[in-house]
Amino acid sequence: MPVYLHDIPLEVAQQRFTEALQEVGLWGILGSEEIPLDENAVGRVLFAPVWAKISSPHYHASAMDGFAVRAEATAGAQPGHPVILAAVDGEDPGFAYVDTGDPLPEWADAVIPIENVEPLDQLGQPGPDPRRPAVIRIRAAVTPWSHVRPIGEDIVATQLVLPSGHVLRPVDLGAVAACGHAVLRVARRPRVAILPTGTELVPIGQPVSPGDIIEYNSLVMAAQVGQWGGQAVRYPIIPDQFDQIRQRVLEAAQTADLVLLNAGSSAGSEDYSANIVEMSGRLLVHGVAVRPGHPVILGMIATQVKVPEPGSSPGEMPRWTPIIGVPGYPVSAALTAEIFIEPLLAKWLGRKPNQPEEVRAVMARKVVSPAGDDDFMRVAVGKVGQQLVAAPLSRGSGVI
């Protein structure tokens, strides 16, 4: 049984994995689907750009409760010399009451807010219904298109509203609805199978005895996958039995886009992951020069899929599914997901990979890292005076 094939640099491991995915056509968006425009669309990634079907607003709309008028009719109005407009019959009634959002009458080109108008009856007294006065007194002139939302103020028909690869936010849903769409074409969510292994593992909520370990890595990784846009399926705990683990891996590879085999990736007597991958497809990487997360496995699982051949009986061809052997320690597992799984899901969804914020800080104390490894160290960052200081946290692989 091999220990480590090679303890290779992180960049080499990532490149080897990428090339294997490219060879089998898995280095791009996996597919698309159409979904209704509702609150569940938040977080999905657009497969195609969204172009406006209609303008928003799609008519000249009043931006205030008030009176629609022709701006030129208010010329010269001043506090001491008001202009009085009388209601008349015909195509140009002189003024018309409008609520916010109402269409602007064709003859009008401005709106005066109701608080800036004195609605009066025929005798020059305040009328019983301020929205249907006989005359209005105006003490300030308005310019054309005052308090009017013109067609296309927010969005113009045919305008690009959202590009492909955009991760939908709540406000985006409003923009998409406003420009006339009721459905969206988004990238299909990658299906990720998570297989926890270990005879010593017990499910969450079960009583534990000395030697038992509560299995929560699959919970953490499933949450990470969901946060990154994937669709995780957590399998039941598999005991340390070679044939049983291999059978579950092959089953998962037939339906999943990615298989995460948790634990068993090191070099112990019951660490079967590398052998299982090697026997079931291609073992690309076993051991990466990173801390924590050193015993990572990268590979491809081959399953047979029947395909019809013209003029002959159905044949079979391999279906390749990437597999990542994730270390068992919780911090190592979470970091492995950030390094290898998040960028892969980003590629499959057509979005940009997450880019952590970077700051420059002074270490609070001296630290020592293994020579030749990329050392990922968790720190607490705070400001002391004007200086950012990074205080290293406990480096235990189980300190989640």
Side-chain angles (χ1 to χ4, degrees), residues 103-157:
L104 192 70
E106 291 187 4
W107 52 267
D109 62 4
V111 172
I112 305 176
I114 192 169
E115 59 268 23
N116 296 339
V117 174
E118 298 174 45
L120 307 172
D121 60 17
Q122 292 180 341
L123 300 178
Q125 301 297 318
D129 187 352
R131 294 181 297 180
R132 293 179 176 83
V135 298
I136 58 174
R137 183 183 293 154
I138 304 166
R139 297 186 182 274
V142 293
T143 58
W145 302 105
S146 294
H147 307 298
V148 174
R149 296 186 63 221
I151 292 174
E153 180 183 61
D154 298 335
I155 302 171
V156 178

Side-chain angles (χ1 to χ4, degrees), residues 193-209:
I194 304 175
L195 283 62
T197 69
T199 305
E200 73 281 5
L201 300 180
V202 296
I204 296 171
Q206 297 296 317
V208 292
S209 303

